[in-house]
Amino acid sequence: MRVRHNSPALPLLHVLALLRIAAADTCTTIAVNTTIEVATPLALTYVTEQQDYWSTSCAALRPSCIIFPRTAAEVSTVLSVLHANNEPFAVKSGGHNPNNLWSSVAGGPVLSTQRMDGVSVEPATGVITIGPGNRLDEVAAKLQGSGWTFVGGRIGHTGVGGLVVGGGLSYLSAQYGWAASCVLAFDVVLANGTVTRALATENPDLFVALKGGGNNFGVVTAYVVQGYQQDLVLGGNLVFARSSAETSRRILKAVRDFTEHNADNRAAVIVTAERTNLDLVDSWILFLFYDGPEAPPGTFDNFTSIGPTLNTVRTRTYADLLAFSNWVIVPGSVVTIGTETVPLPSAANAEEVMEGIHAHWRNVSGSVLDVPGLVASIAYQPFPRQIARAARAKGPDLIDADDDADRLIIEMNYSFVPQSEYGRMADTMEATYTGVRELVAGWQAEGVLQSNLYLPILMSYGFFRQDYFARLKPESAELAREVASRVDPDGMFRDRTGGWKP
């Protein structure tokens, strides 16, 4: 792959490259030699931005400064300076990934894309250009009234950058594929400061690698995506206040059946069980979505017929729904997220598999109910073959899911207050997702679940101890490695930033 240089570096870069002032730190070099905004630890903008992570464990890592570029040219300047030294660094979009060092760093600079928050739409075509500094609820609000929407995630406070390069599961995925599937072009700055563009006909390998490859190839400064027409939507929550055995059985059956039998690609659900410290709360919270003001009769009957304690599902704007979803964020907490992808069990084996996974989660989460501020949750998210089919129709990506099988994406979360409990809770998270994987392997060996099924994990939900690239198809992982070595031959992103590395 030959990377085309679409934009020259700034004249300042030639000076810096000649000087090779590696002895000076990036923060000082940028502050003294450029007009790019640099916030030091005593500045209010530093404090505000540093607190703006989903997990307090990320906020506890103190960068040497936070740099706020506004343009691709300014990002080029920052990366060129970093390329001339050996400092660790991080790039931050929304800071929603709770893995330490993924968008946070101790002792080096954070490059925050917050100031790169433009959103524009071409009214005739629905082509939308989105800056990486946006969160999903901000994009939806800016598109409100245009008649167009974008394929993003489900929680409004999620940052666009991390979501898209991680693939991105959406309420709209059965219609349009992953969030990354809808990208027409990435504007990206490479490790050496080169500003370029990746699309299907220009830098095509880089284009594919950025769709599910994470932060290994450069800093994306704009996402050009295909938007889709949308009016009002139906969405909200069903809350079941107490998690009885019968309620759990019926809900687990309902989500399995929905995954296999729902034929309306405009409908989507997330089925979540939650319990808190000392089991003061032990409930089910379901997310229902329909891409239209009303769902056809019967669409969600298997869920609503169970008899929720509270039903907030109503017709609203997409922007309102994304903003409404932000209640799921637990401020002031350490957050850990892990995931597994499992084959969808047949109706005959549904009870054994679904209730077996759920019993395992309850057993492991029950061992840490003494942890102050604990909120433990498990989410069962349909991954029907139609999502893979829709993604494949839009071109290749690193996830490359087969479209001949239905799956479930299991997301496991633990949030808690004392950072001193991080080690214990990391082990608990590992025990949770590892136990699910072992159960699945056992059922596959017994013929209860389909064997030899490709089961990639979703990057957005992965725990740092999981090996994301090892779960991809070998050819996808090899493509990521090859592209990374070509666009970043010195391994700047590989060796000096966090995240999964191919």
Side-chain angles (χ1 to χ4, degrees):
M1 179 191 69
R2 180 176 298 165
V3 177
R4 297 179 182 176
H5 295 199
N6 292 344
S7 177
L10 295 178
L12 170 65
L13 299 187
H14 300 298
V15 177
L16 296 178
L18 289 171
L19 293 176
R20 305 292 290 180
I21 43 178
D25 64 273
T26 302
C27 300
T28 301
T29 301
I30 296 297
V32 171
N33 294 280
T34 80
T35 59
I36 300 170
E37 181 182 355
V38 178
T40 55
L42 295 180
L44 179 60
T45 50
Y46 176 103
V47 174
T48 302
E49 181 71 4
Q50 186 58 19
Q51 290 175 343
D52 200 7
Y53 286 96
W54 279 20
S55 178
T56 58
S57 65
C58 296
L61 300 175
R62 310 299 291 177
S64 51
C65 69
I66 302 177
I67 303 171
F68 297 91
R70 295 178 179 273
T71 65
E74 292 190 346
V75 171
S76 173
T77 298
V78 176
L79 292 187
S80 294
V81 173
L82 282 165
H83 198 254
N85 62 42
N86 60 3
E87 289 184 299
F89 67 98
V91 181
K92 180 185 177 187
S93 174
H96 62 271
N97 190 304
N99 289 312
N100 294 340
L101 303 177
W102 265 227
S103 62
S104 55
V105 67
V110 165
L111 191 162
S112 170
T113 62
Q114 185 188 95
R115 305 290 189 258
M116 305 173 71
D117 61 352
V119 175
S120 62
V121 59
E122 297 177 9
T125 63
V127 172
I128 306 168
T129 301
I130 303 173
N134 286 283
R135 299 182 188 275
L136 301 182
D137 52 6
E138 294 172 333
V139 178
K142 292 170 183 177
L143 291 175
Q144 183 64 37
S146 70
W148 296 96
T149 192
F150 67 107
V151 178
R154 283 80 54 84
I155 307 302
H157 204 251
T158 302
V160 168
L163 175 89
V164 176
V165 297
L169 181 61
S170 171
Y171 285 131
L172 305 173
S173 284
Q175 296 181 77
Y176 309 119
W178 311 110
S181 304
C182 303
V183 177
L184 303 175
F186 297 92
D187 288 340
V188 59
V189 183
L190 306 180
N192 65 358
T194 297
V195 180
T196 191
R197 174 166 276 207
L199 60 159
T201 57
E202 186 176 339
N203 300 320
D205 288 350
L206 177 59
F207 181 61
V208 173
L210 284 166
K211 296 192 286 184
N215 65 342
N216 291 291
F217 314 105
V219 176
V220 179
T221 57
Y223 299 85
V224 182
V225 307
Q226 181 59 60
Y228 299 94
Q229 292 183 327
Q230 185 184 71
D231 191 9
L232 297 174
V233 303
L234 184 75
N237 301 116
L238 303 182
V239 179
F240 300 83
R242 297 307 300 174
S243 180
S244 69
E246 177 61 14
T247 297
S248 297
R249 182 191 68 80
R250 293 181 66 185
I251 290 175
L252 290 167
K253 181 179 185 303
V255 69
R256 192 225 75 90
D257 291 349
F258 182 91
T259 305
E260 180 179 8
H261 298 300
N262 173 57
D264 189 339
N265 295 332
R266 297 167 74 89
V269 299
I270 309 172
V271 171
T272 304
E274 306 217 358
R275 61 198 307 200
T276 65
N277 179 241
L278 305 178
D279 258 345
L280 297 176
V281 173
D282 188 1
S283 63
W284 286 91
I285 303 176
L286 280 55
F287 298 74
L288 271 56
F289 173 85
Y290 190 80
D291 188 14
E294 294 184 24
T299 302
F300 300 117
D301 281 2
N302 282 358
F303 301 104
T304 56
S305 64
I306 301 172
T309 309
L310 177 66
N311 184 341
T312 66
V313 179
R314 63 176 177 81
T315 301
R316 58 178 90 210
T317 65
Y318 193 49
D320 178 64
L321 178 64
L322 288 182
F324 174 76
S325 68
N326 287 332
W327 64 263
V328 304
I329 302 166
V330 184
S333 295
V334 181
V335 178
T336 59
I337 302 178
T339 189
E340 266 303 329
T341 304
V342 306
L344 186 73
S346 66
N349 296 320
E351 184 174 336
E352 177 182 0
V353 173
M354 299 299 292
E355 295 189 26
I357 291 173
H358 199 65
H360 163 71
W361 171 75
R362 289 194 66 86
N363 179 55
V364 177
S365 61
S367 70
V368 291
L369 293 178
D370 61 312
V371 174
L374 179 83
V375 178
S377 68
I378 183 168
Y380 300 89
Q381 306 188 51
F383 184 0
R385 64 192 69 195
Q386 178 54 32
I387 292 180
R389 195 166 295 155
R392 287 190 158 201
K394 287 185 166 54
D397 56 59
L398 282 193
I399 301 169
D400 192 26
D402 306 316
D403 61 5
D404 58 355
D406 298 319
R407 305 167 177 84
L408 287 168
I409 294 173
I410 310 294
E411 178 191 353
M412 297 148 275
N413 293 33
Y414 292 102
S415 64
F416 51 96
V417 172
Q419 294 192 26
S420 59
E421 295 282 357
Y422 190 91
R424 177 188 177 189
M425 294 307 301
D427 291 343
T428 302
M429 174 58 76
E430 184 174 2
T432 308
Y433 65 74
T434 299
V436 172
R437 186 157 174 78
E438 290 173 349
L439 285 170
V440 169
W443 285 319
Q444 288 178 314
E446 297 167 4
V448 173
L449 289 177
Q450 180 179 345
S451 60
N452 301 318
L453 181 63
Y454 172 51
L455 298 171
I457 60 174
L458 196 62
M459 178 179 279
S460 298
Y461 299 152
F463 190 56
F464 71 92
R465 292 181 183 176
Q466 296 183 279
D467 191 341
Y468 170 78
F469 284 99
R471 296 289 293 273
L472 296 179
K473 293 177 179 177
E475 55 268 32
S476 292
E478 178 57 32
L479 174 65
R481 281 190 291 272
E482 181 182 359
V483 173
S485 68
R486 288 175 182 267
V487 300
D488 184 14
D490 297 322
M492 187 170 88
F493 285 93
R494 180 193 66 214
D495 299 334
R496 294 162 57 185
T497 63
W500 292 278
K501 305 302 174 186

